[in-house]
Amino acid sequence: MTRGAALRILPYSRVVGQPWVKAALELAYVAPRLGGVLISGQRGTGKSTAVRAFARMLYGGLPVTLPINATEDRVVGGWEVDALLRSEPVPQPGLIMEARGKILYVDEVNLLDDHIVNIILDVTSTGVLVVQREGLAQQAPVSFTLVGTMNPEEGFLRPQLLDRFALMVSVEAEQDRAEILRTVLRFDEAQFHRGKGRRDEFVAAGRVADTTRKKELQMARRRFYQVEVPKQLVDRCVRLAEEFQAEGHRADYVMALAARAYAAIQDEPRATADHLRAVVPMALRHRRPEVQQVGRDVWTDEDTAKMEQILRSD
Amino acid sequence: MPGLPNSYLARLLASAALMPGLRSILVLDPSPAFLDDIASTLEEMLAVVTGQGVDRVYVGAASDEEELWGHAVPQAGDQGLEVVWQPGSLTQPVENRARLVLIPDLPRLSLTAMRGAVALMGAPAGHLEREGRSRGWAPELCWVAACPSTEVGTVPPHLRDRFALRLIGGTVPARLRAQDIFRSVNRRCPPAIPRRPRLPSKLVTTLRRAARHWPLSSSEWQEWLYQYLPVGDGCRRQLALVRLALAEARLENAREVTPEHVQNAAQLLGLRPEAGRGAATAGPAVSAPEPERESGAHPARPVRTQTPLDEPLRSGFHDESSSRTMDRAYETPEDIILPAAPVPMDVYAMEDAAPLGGEPEALRLPVGRGRPSARARGAAVGTEPATSMTDLALVSTLIRAAPFQPSRRRNHLASPGRWLLTPGDLRAHRREHPPEQLLVLVLDHTCLAGSDWQAAVRLHLHWAYVERASICVIGVGVAGERDLQAERLFVHSLLAPQLGPALVPRPGGATPLAHGLVLALKAIRHGMQHGRGAAREARLVLVTDGRGNVPLEASETGSFSSPVGRTGIEDALRIAHVLGGTKRLSSYVLDTGPKEYPELPAVFSEALGGIRLVITPAEDSEALVDS
């Protein structure tokens, strides 16, 4: 990825609002076993901006991106064609291998080709990348955080792919439009100054704040397994999954894992109902039976009330 | 020379050249000549502002993935077989060269190109991962797309929203066009006529100065923003207005952005402050008047008729502190060659009011559209011996040829390292052949009793069997816990074992017909657009008495407050009308002959634009009347 493209990304700390998007991404980083984050929202709500900014903060560059023009050889791996022509068989790792331990980002994930979706499903369900094509015979364990952004107007995801995303956030248009406009214009100005070879304080201060946040998240990740998860909390996770008729078998596991990660981020020694309360909608909204029927995620005020009732029960 | 200098149009284009966030322009109802003039002018402005060369590419209805993203091409080289990567229209092979992407007909743009535009327009990064090539770059693309105003609603909103600017197209006055042609054919020029400079020198100076200038920005002017665009509008429109105001300030070399710049920017977009978003400009759109010129003579200083927008524009521009204004930049004999354009209208209002003709999930992976080809374009599932040079699987070809290289080189005076291929080595991709037909059967379980519906449906199932169609069965009014919602089942063929149980009647207590038709609509759109091999045509069979008593909202929320009245039926009819407008869809309504409201199935049939067949009671299975 060219450095130029990475420099066009707004610092993560400068992204206006989006608290739940940030929370989901941070949870997935602190607890990589969660697997994936799906961000759904109308056009122009800064979904892609937030993901790219997050990746740049953590990894110093843009995320490994699966574009809509991707062919299978670039997704799973193949041969370097130029080397092959020189009679040098040099395997070329695909995007899935490049994303090991990091983020594999799919923008407009609901527009992805079925064939590529099937590959992703296979890999994320087994945790193994098997390459049997063009004379290659390889398999390797892989683990990455699948992050997808989408506009639900263009269609929803197949249930199998939906299930691979541990957490889902539904983004509404930010209320603080003025702050968004100010931020975008300020960043435009920063880009202008960068083009003239001048340093810009807006970006510099943002990068400093990003560095601080990165360290906080790294420390949270290190203390993740020291956070206690009481059995009572786990029971509540199971009950929530049952009461909301969550599809699949991962909802309760995801809730427990996410609550633990949330406690780790907040530097708490134990995951509590408060932590669980924060993550339940993200874990359940796309696992409701109604989702495939109505073609969008579902979470209402009644659902919140029902969740509260379960959390407060003995 | 055709056209007139038009300061509104030139300022809009100059703003787009100055601000990367504004380099996507949707032009409504332009003539081809007007569109070309816009593109040419913008190219020159971009070259001045960026200091880079600008290439132009065209993207249209036939643009496929190879054209857009590039592909590998085998060719003979000095060292033997070489594989050369042919870059695509949307990738930028050369650093430091901008690219103008011209879309002559946006509604007819290939779906592949629409998806590419969605991915790249306004994006900070571009990604290419194809056929062994991996590349990332910072896109330097400028987009200009033409669209008939009557069809703007058919463009997927997800794509349309990405265009920062809109303008109403114009036409080159015929008399001036004829003058230009007369002059061109009589000119003694070599065949390759060099492009004459279009931008007046004063404008070039203005642009270069503006490119180096960034005004201060206070919060005061932002308050003015919301007078033109209500808070509820998308953020992108507000951003466009704000960036346009900033561009105005840069062009004027103003020290800071002022409310006047916002006002001018709003006027460039045809927005007025009343009611948050302006109504269309009062009076019909008029072109700037043609100058009084004679053939061959230099154009006289243009005389502009006062329009309702002229004075506010001038007040913002005749800044005492600025010795040069855009208007003055044009008042020279070598005026910019731009055709006349109507005064701005509120294009956003026009766009929002346009009838929606687009299909839901329209950007899902393409196919039936684009370059027609008898060859199936399903996903590559293997390789096979090639019979032509198209769709070659290069790596498989090389692997097949590799074991024979040593012996072939011994018998052939070839340079070391050269690959020696025979026709037998060539391998092509083997692709899926997906079903080209789709049957969607909507079965209302609450009205099946006593009718021989199986015989009627059997005819259509037979059709699906013969045509190897994929099948979607939607059960309406099925007994169960979620009886306010319809159920949907997809199968690849008639032989799927799940199909039988789905056709067993299980009447419930409610009839969510509207929801069933929504699922049918989605299935049809999805089946005819999704995947590399989409269905070419679909058949909808609706078995119903028309008495859908569950409003759509109730199906979506899972609850309703009675009484619902006719809401369920009206919702269902509304969806039926949308289905009726779907291309390549034939519809059949199997009327179960209800005693109450017997006219309803006919109403649905009319809404669908389909054929109604009356199913008589089960004891009289011979009588199937075609209405």
Side-chain angles (χ1 to χ4, degrees):
Chain A
M1 171 56 58
T2 64
R3 180 171 162 72
L7 288 174
R8 288 188 179 186
I9 306 303
L10 187 69
Y12 181 71
S13 56
R14 296 293 192 190
V15 174
V16 176
Q18 308 283 21
W20 293 112
V21 171
K22 291 178 177 177
L25 292 171
E26 293 175 1
L27 290 173
Y29 172 74
V30 170
R33 283 159 55 193
L34 278 170
V37 175
L38 177 63
I39 303 168
S40 169
Q42 296 172 347
R43 47 195 189 275
T45 47
K47 306 179 292 295
S48 306
T49 301
V51 175
R52 291 182 179 126
F54 182 73
R56 196 192 185 287
M57 175 183 72
L58 285 181
Y59 308 113
L62 290 171
V64 176
T65 301
L66 178 57
I68 55 172
N69 57 47
T71 51
E72 181 184 340
D73 64 300
R74 286 301 306 129
V75 178
V76 302
W79 298 100
E80 282 192 19
V81 175
D82 293 336
L84 208 57
L85 286 169
R86 296 191 301 268
S87 302
E88 299 168 13
V90 178
Q92 182 183 37
L95 294 173
I96 289 177
M97 286 301 282
E98 287 180 20
R100 269 196 312 181
K102 295 189 288 187
I103 289 174
L104 178 64
Y105 175 45
V106 187
D107 197 10
E108 313 290 352
V109 64
N110 52 340
L111 304 185
L112 209 56
D113 186 4
D114 264 349
H115 184 56
I116 303 297
V117 168
N118 290 338
I119 294 172
I120 301 288
L121 286 175
D122 283 345
V123 173
T124 52
S125 62
T126 62
V128 178
L129 173 64
V130 178
V131 184
Q132 292 281 354
R133 60 190 307 278
E134 295 178 344
L136 280 168
Q138 300 171 341
Q139 67 177 44
V142 287
S143 170
F144 53 86
T145 299
L146 181 65
V147 177
T149 52
M150 57 174 263
N151 179 344
E153 289 177 345
E154 296 303 325
F156 218 57
L157 298 183
R158 285 157 51 183
Q160 303 92 326
L161 184 57
L162 206 55
D163 187 58
R164 304 326 301 171
F165 293 99
L167 305 174
M168 178 177 177
V169 180
S170 205
V171 179
E172 302 293 334
E174 277 293 323
Q175 296 304 312
D176 196 354
R177 298 292 183 96
E179 184 60 27
I180 292 175
L181 293 176
R182 274 193 291 271
T183 300
V184 173
L185 286 177
R186 190 63 187 83
F187 192 59
D188 279 357
E189 183 179 351
Q191 295 296 300
F192 171 79
H193 289 307
R194 183 184 69 81
K196 304 299 177 194
R198 296 192 285 259
R199 187 174 177 277
D200 185 88
E201 187 54 37
F202 177 80
V203 170
R207 299 278 180 238
V208 170
D210 283 1
T211 302
T212 303
R213 187 59 182 162
K214 176 181 174 180
K215 285 178 182 162
E216 291 170 352
L217 292 174
Q218 286 173 329
M219 289 175 60
R221 191 169 177 171
R222 279 196 284 272
R223 59 175 174 257
F224 173 75
Y225 284 104
Q226 278 91 52
V227 174
E228 181 192 348
V229 182
K231 184 179 181 306
Q232 191 183 28
L233 199 74
V234 175
D235 291 339
R236 288 205 176 104
C237 293
V238 173
R239 187 167 163 214
L240 282 163
E242 286 176 350
E243 293 290 332
F244 281 91
Q245 299 178 292
E247 302 276 355
H249 304 286
R250 300 182 70 227
D252 39 18
Y253 171 73
V254 165
M255 282 187 274
L257 211 60
R260 186 184 218 176
Y262 201 40
I265 290 173
Q266 298 200 320
D267 200 8
E268 299 279 341
R270 174 188 295 180
T272 66
D274 285 339
H275 300 124
L276 186 57
R277 178 179 291 109
V279 305
V280 165
M282 288 192 281
L284 287 183
R285 68 186 326 123
H286 56 305
R287 294 193 162 88
R288 313 287 298 283
E290 300 88 325
V291 164
Q292 288 304 315
Q293 300 301 328
V294 301
R296 56 179 169 81
D297 59 297
V298 178
W299 191 264
T300 63
D301 292 339
E302 287 75 20
D303 295 327
T304 301
K306 185 175 174 181
M307 173 189 71
E308 287 294 340
Q309 187 183 5
I310 295 170
L311 289 177
R312 291 198 181 112
S313 65
D314 292 330
Chain B
M1 291 179 284
L4 278 178
N6 182 303
S7 62
Y8 130 70
L9 190 53
R11 278 157 55 200
L12 205 70
L13 297 182
S15 300
L18 271 177
M19 305 290 291
L22 295 179
R23 292 175 187 166
S24 48
I25 304 174
L26 183 60
V27 188
L28 299 181
D29 300 328
S31 67
F34 182 89
L35 190 67
D36 187 68
D37 273 353
I38 293 287
S40 298
T41 305
L42 193 50
E43 281 168 358
E44 295 191 41
M45 290 179 170
L46 277 170
V48 170
V49 168
T50 64
Q52 298 176 352
V54 181
D55 300 319
R56 186 192 298 192
V57 295
Y58 292 86
V59 176
S63 297
D64 60 6
E65 288 187 351
E66 289 189 348
E67 176 193 325
L68 295 172
W69 302 111
H71 59 281
V73 178
Q75 68 181 36
D78 294 336
Q79 301 301 320
L81 178 69
E82 292 178 353
V83 175
V84 178
W85 182 257
Q86 186 71 33
S89 308
L90 300 184
T91 60
Q92 287 167 273
V94 181
E95 300 284 340
N96 299 324
R97 274 195 82 83
R99 185 161 278 197
L100 187 139
V101 181
L102 188 58
I103 304 172
D105 192 349
L106 186 61
R108 275 151 208 78
L109 190 64
S110 74
L111 220 41
T112 308
M114 283 191 183
R115 289 158 51 86
V118 164
L120 286 180
M121 205 180 293
H127 300 267
L128 175 71
E129 302 287 347
R130 282 187 78 76
E131 298 178 15
R133 303 290 156 166
S134 178
R135 181 173 163 245
W137 74 98
E140 293 279 354
L141 296 173
C142 179
W143 302 77
V144 177
C147 180
S149 56
T150 54
E151 296 182 43
V152 69
T154 66
V155 178
H158 197 43
L159 170 61
R160 200 174 66 223
D161 189 63
R162 277 170 153 72
F163 284 91
L165 297 178
R166 284 118 172 88
L167 62 91
I168 305 289
T171 56
V172 176
R175 185 170 72 84
L176 296 176
R177 177 72 182 151
Q179 287 179 1
D180 200 38
I181 292 173
F182 178 80
R183 200 173 301 116
S184 295
V185 299
N186 285 317
R187 185 183 301 156
R188 292 176 183 274
C189 291
I193 301 174
R195 285 179 70 182
R196 52 187 163 77
R198 301 173 67 94
L199 301 183
S201 54
K202 290 182 180 178
L203 178 54
V204 171
T205 304
T206 300
L207 284 172
R208 285 193 177 131
R209 184 198 61 214
R212 295 188 300 269
H213 174 61
W214 195 277
L216 298 173
S217 182
S218 66
S219 59
E220 178 192 349
W221 62 271
Q222 294 180 17
E223 298 299 322
W224 282 69
L225 176 68
Y226 296 109
Q227 297 186 33
Y228 296 96
L229 289 174
V231 177
D233 263 9
C235 206
R236 285 197 172 116
R237 293 182 176 181
Q238 292 161 335
L239 267 176
L241 183 58
V242 157
R243 282 169 167 154
L244 207 51
L246 201 54
E248 287 279 295
R250 293 177 73 184
L251 286 166
E252 281 194 5
N253 202 31
R255 183 176 169 277
E256 62 179 331
V257 184
T258 66
E260 283 74 26
H261 296 127
V262 177
Q263 187 180 12
N264 291 340
Q267 288 171 348
L268 284 175
L269 294 175
L271 301 175
R272 288 190 176 275
E274 58 269 12
R277 185 199 311 177
T281 304
V286 296
S287 297
E290 300 175 3
E292 295 298 323
R293 300 185 289 185
E294 293 181 359
S295 170
H298 284 298
R301 187 180 299 265
V303 176
R304 293 183 60 214
T305 303
Q306 289 290 320
T307 70
L309 288 180
D310 276 356
E311 286 190 68
L313 282 172
R314 287 188 185 281
S315 68
F317 266 36
H318 285 190
D319 184 353
E320 295 301 326
S321 66
S322 174
S323 60
R324 295 176 184 238
T325 65
M326 288 289 291
D327 283 357
R328 290 191 197 142
Y330 292 133
E331 293 173 358
T332 60
E334 65 276 8
D335 279 344
I336 188 170
I337 309 303
L338 270 180
V343 294
M345 300 176 63
D346 186 346
V347 187
Y348 290 137
M350 179 196 298
E351 191 175 309
D352 291 342
L356 292 178
E359 300 172 346
E361 307 179 16
L363 289 172
R364 290 274 199 169
L365 196 65
V367 199
R369 311 184 190 182
R371 185 169 60 195
S373 170
R375 188 187 183 87
R377 298 298 294 174
V381 295
T383 61
E384 59 188 6
T387 55
S388 70
M389 294 299 286
T390 58
D391 204 23
L392 285 179
L394 288 175
V395 175
S396 294
T397 297
L398 293 176
I399 290 173
R400 182 164 178 82
F404 306 103
Q405 295 308 299
S407 60
R408 287 177 185 172
R409 285 175 186 152
R410 276 198 299 272
N411 299 327
H412 193 282
L413 291 177
S415 306
R418 286 192 70 173
W419 281 78
L420 296 170
L421 301 181
T422 67
D425 295 330
L426 296 178
R427 309 288 290 176
H429 291 115
R430 181 161 52 85
R431 298 189 178 273
E432 287 184 318
H433 288 266
E436 294 197 343
Q437 310 283 358
L438 169 66
L439 171 67
V440 177
L441 174 62
V442 180
L443 200 60
D444 181 352
H445 288 238
T446 62
C447 67
L448 300 178
S451 70
D452 192 12
W453 61 275
Q454 293 97 329
V457 169
R458 199 175 298 130
L459 295 173
H460 299 282
L461 293 177
H462 180 73
W463 170 85
Y465 176 72
V466 170
E467 298 293 333
R468 303 281 198 273
S470 56
I471 301 172
C472 174
V473 178
I474 295 169
V476 171
V478 180
E481 288 182 3
R482 294 193 287 272
D483 56 358
L484 292 183
Q485 294 161 346
E487 299 178 348
R488 184 171 60 184
L489 171 73
F490 277 106
V491 293
H492 280 292
S493 75
L494 192 67
L495 302 177
Q498 308 95 308
L499 189 57
L503 298 178
V504 174
R506 289 172 289 145
T511 311
L513 183 58
H515 188 234
L517 290 178
V518 167
L519 294 184
L521 178 66
K522 288 183 175 178
I524 288 165
R525 304 291 193 204
H526 189 86
M528 293 174 79
Q529 290 185 358
H530 188 76
R532 294 186 188 277
R536 297 196 182 277
E537 57 180 288
R539 176 180 289 199
L540 171 67
V541 176
L542 174 61
V543 184
T544 186
D545 59 2
R547 294 168 59 195
N549 58 10
V550 178
L552 187 59
E553 185 184 1
S555 297
E556 291 177 344
T557 60
S559 64
F560 66 94
S561 55
S562 55
V564 299
R566 283 180 58 91
T567 308
I569 295 174
E570 286 163 6
D571 286 346
L573 280 172
R574 181 167 45 85
I575 306 299
H577 277 291
V578 176
L579 280 162
T582 303
K583 296 175 187 170
R584 294 177 281 130
L585 172 69
S586 53
S587 299
Y588 297 83
V589 175
L590 304 187
D591 182 353
T592 58
K595 291 186 176 56
E596 295 181 35
Y597 308 105
E599 75 283 1
L600 275 180
V603 174
F604 274 94
S605 177
E606 187 177 346
L608 288 169
I611 298 171
R612 182 171 72 96
L613 298 122
V614 177
I615 309 171
T616 51
E619 58 270 17
D620 190 6
S621 60
E622 295 295 325
L624 183 64
V625 179
D626 185 346
S627 299

